[in-house]
Every structure is written in structure tokens, then in C-alpha cells.
Amino acid sequence: MGISRQAPARAPQQGAFLASLAGKAHVPPPIWLMRQAGRYLPEYRETRARAGSFLDLCYNPELAAEVTLQPIRRFGFDAAILFSDILVVPHALGQKLWFEEGEGPRLEPVADAAALARLSVDAAVPRFDLVAETVSRVRAGLPSSTALIGFCGAPWTVATYMVAGRGSQDQAAARLWAYRDPAGFAALVDLVVEASIDYLARQVAAGADCLQIFDSWSGSLAEPEFERWVIEPTKAILAGLKARGIAVPVIGFPRGAGLLAARYVRATGVAGLGCDTAMPLDVMARDLSPLATLQGNLDPLLLVSGGEALDRRIDQILAAMAGRPFIFNLGHGIVPETPPDHVARLVALVRRTSGA
């Protein structure tokens, strides 16, 4: 049954996002969207044009803060997420990075020990500090009830780009290196872990209320490799943050984890689990919800399509997660073709689920 079109939209609840991560069920649930600041918004496109290149935008604290705040002003999401990119970490370490228009990121591949030796966590500090300044500016511009999410790419996903020099369908270059030379590949992953701990710690010091770790390519790994290259590095990041006295909640997003998602939560200690579109709602409710606050998992293309199919799926997700700590989100990032009106409708429909 669809949600009544006459019911008034509810305002976001005070601190609902962080309360949900702490294990409290909210009606309506808090909502934000992965990649909520981006090309689907005309105001983002205007700001991006002012910045010049994508990397220039990432490293310009004033403009990066502006695009982080744009979707909050427009939609009133319960959380803002720092505008940046997961490849800031390898770039800050010293790996050459550029973006080809219409094709995505390109890096000078790291394929051996010699290339790895040229990278340095110490070299990353100036660029990490620029991102931290963005966090500080965003926090100052947010309503007190709106949470600020810092983030990084997970070591496995970041390493796949570093090794191949670009995104790939099967992450073959990184997988082959990990199979053929696990010690050498571990050195790369360990470097990314070390840099990520420092990067996230700086974001928290600048005002981030929680953190998300994006492992977009975790689903390409078999079970033993998932344990070694997804679970163990994520666990190491959380342990490293704890060793620095950082106790903000962390959301893990191991896209494609499937049946390994429960093991991921138990082993890493994340407070929240991002669920991709393929994760069945009954598995989320029955098996995963008792372990962590869940986040997800609307298909981004359904948000593009809109209409009654979108309304029905919103109802299904909300019904499945009713009475449980839950954060409404997508199963992956919002795509550029998404009509902003569909996003506004999504937010209104989620916030009409009050029972009032």
C-alpha cells in the first residue's frame, strides 16, 4: 500500500542520525544519500565550473564546503558527508592522479616495491590538512541537529585503483598481485591503512561526527581474500582510531559482501553497516539488524526512474526495517541523471512514515 500523499512531511528529528547509529529506532528514520553532493544538482555544476578541475574542487576548502552544504540546504538531509574523493589518499601519498572528463580517474600505477617506496604518509599531511579545513568549514555551516560524516575509501578498494591506474570491472590487477605476492601487496595495503587512520583522525579533529569507510569493490573477492583484504584492514583502521582516543561511530560499506556481511560487522566492530541494493530485506531485518545499525538500500536507478515503483520500494524498505535502528539511503551512490525532484519526493515520503 502506498504512502498517503496528503500526510504532512515531518521535519528531521533532533540528532536522529547519531541516535540511530547508537542503536535507537526512529520514526521516521534519518535519511542521507551517498554522493548527495554532485552532478545531479545544478548548483554543484556551477560551483564545479568555478573551481576548474575536480581535484581543484576537492582541495579548495571554501568551494568543497559549499558543495557539501548544497544538498543540506535543498533537501534538509539528516547528515552531510564531506565532499572529497576516495583517491585523495593515494594522491596525497604521492601517486600521480588526474581525472579524464567523462571517463573517470587515472593514476600512475603502483605495481611493485619500487613504486611503493616512492609514496609517503608524511607527504600526505598538507593535502589532508586542506580536507580537514573543509570539514571545519562545513561543521560551522551546519545546523546543530545535522550530523557531519567524514570518510575514506577502504584499503582494498583504494588499492585496486592504485595498482590498475583506473577503475576496472574485475579488479584483476590487484587480485593477481595479492595472489602472486601477498607480502608485497600487504605492504601496499598497510600503507593505505596507516594513511587512512591519519586522514580520518584529522577529519574527526576538525568536526566530523562519524565516519564511513567505502569498500566499493569488496564483492570481487573470494572468502579467504575478503577476510584478508577487506575485514582485516578495516579492523586495523578502527583499532588505529581507538588507539588515538577516537570513539566516533564508523559505518562500513562493504559493497557486494553478501553472506559475508555479518562476519564483517562482527570482526571489524563497525557501528553501522551500509547495505547494497542486492542485499535482501529479510536478511537485513533478520540477520544483520541485530548486529549493527543498517543503512541502505534503495536502487539509485529507481530514484532516477521515480513513479509508483519508487513509492512501493520506499514502503517495502520502511516496512522491513520498522522498529529497528535504521538510516535510509541508497544501495550505492546517486547517479548524475537523477532528477532533483525525485530526491525531494524521496525525502518527503520517508518523513511521512510517522503513523500520524
Side-chain angles (χ1 to χ4, degrees):
M1 182 177 177
I3 299 169
S4 169
R5 304 296 175 264
Q6 284 72 45
R10 287 273 302 270
Q13 298 188 36
Q14 181 75 19
F17 176 86
L18 291 175
S20 293
L21 273 181
K24 182 178 180 181
H26 273 262
V27 180
I31 179 171
W32 71 281
L33 303 180
M34 290 183 282
R35 293 185 190 155
Q36 64 191 23
R39 288 179 289 168
Y40 75 105
L41 291 177
E43 55 265 44
Y44 169 86
R45 295 193 294 270
E46 292 171 5
T47 308
R48 163 69 193 275
R50 287 169 54 201
S53 73
F54 178 77
L55 273 178
D56 287 337
L57 178 55
C58 289
Y59 292 129
N60 183 318
E62 179 183 0
L63 297 184
E66 166 61 21
V67 296
T68 302
L69 292 167
Q70 285 169 353
I72 305 302
R73 298 189 195 113
R74 183 185 274 256
F75 303 114
F77 290 122
D78 293 286
I81 185 165
L82 164 71
F83 178 83
S84 188
D85 192 88
I86 65 169
L87 298 182
V88 160
V89 167
H91 186 233
L93 289 170
Q95 187 173 13
K96 185 178 179 181
L97 168 68
W98 67 101
F99 285 80
E100 296 285 352
E101 194 66 35
E103 296 185 15
R106 298 290 184 270
L107 302 98
E108 194 170 78
V110 172
D112 53 34
L116 184 58
R118 291 193 286 270
L119 305 180
S120 165
V121 174
D122 290 340
V125 171
R127 285 179 171 140
F128 286 177
D129 282 346
L130 287 173
V131 175
E133 183 182 341
T134 299
V135 172
S136 180
R137 286 172 176 261
V138 173
R139 183 66 271 172
L142 282 176
S144 60
S145 60
T146 304
L148 174 54
I149 307 167
F151 78 91
C152 73
W156 162 250
T157 289
V158 171
T160 67
Y161 286 92
M162 294 177 74
V163 175
R166 60 189 299 168
S168 64
Q169 291 297 315
D170 57 8
Q171 297 75 57
R175 289 163 62 197
L176 286 169
W177 187 1
Y179 282 132
R180 292 168 175 166
D181 177 21
F185 188 72
L188 171 60
V189 169
D190 289 347
L191 177 65
V192 178
V193 167
E194 181 185 359
S196 298
I197 292 168
D198 189 56
Y199 185 47
L200 294 175
R202 290 171 186 273
Q203 293 178 43
V204 172
D209 299 302
C210 81
L211 301 166
Q212 177 155 317
I213 299 175
F214 288 84
D215 218 338
S216 301
W217 299 125
S218 68
S220 65
L221 294 171
E223 181 182 2
E225 286 68 44
F226 185 94
E227 183 80 34
R228 177 66 185 90
W229 306 121
V230 172
I231 289 178
E232 290 302 321
T234 304
K235 182 179 178 181
I237 290 175
L238 268 70
L241 292 171
K242 184 178 180 181
R244 295 192 182 201
I246 295 170
V248 300
V250 176
I251 303 167
F253 180 52
R255 183 173 174 234
L259 294 176
L260 295 172
R263 186 188 305 182
Y264 172 95
V265 173
R266 291 189 181 101
T268 61
V270 293
L273 176 69
C275 296
D276 60 55
T277 299
M279 185 66 74
L281 290 177
D282 62 338
V283 172
M284 289 170 60
R286 182 187 65 240
D287 301 334
L288 300 177
S289 184
L291 305 178
T293 297
L294 301 189
Q295 176 179 280
N297 69 338
L298 185 73
D299 186 350
L301 291 184
L302 188 50
L303 188 57
V304 175
S305 175
E308 289 298 320
L310 172 63
D311 295 0
R312 285 194 301 272
R313 187 58 176 173
I314 293 169
D315 284 354
Q316 290 166 359
I317 293 171
L318 292 171
M321 301 310 299
R324 298 173 171 87
F326 180 61
I327 298 166
F328 203 103
N329 207 313
L330 301 175
H332 199 217
I334 195 169
V335 297
E337 313 90 80
T338 306
D341 287 350
H342 291 189
V343 178
R345 179 176 180 80
L346 166 65
V347 174
L349 290 176
V350 169
R351 289 183 175 157
R352 286 174 181 171
T353 60
S354 65

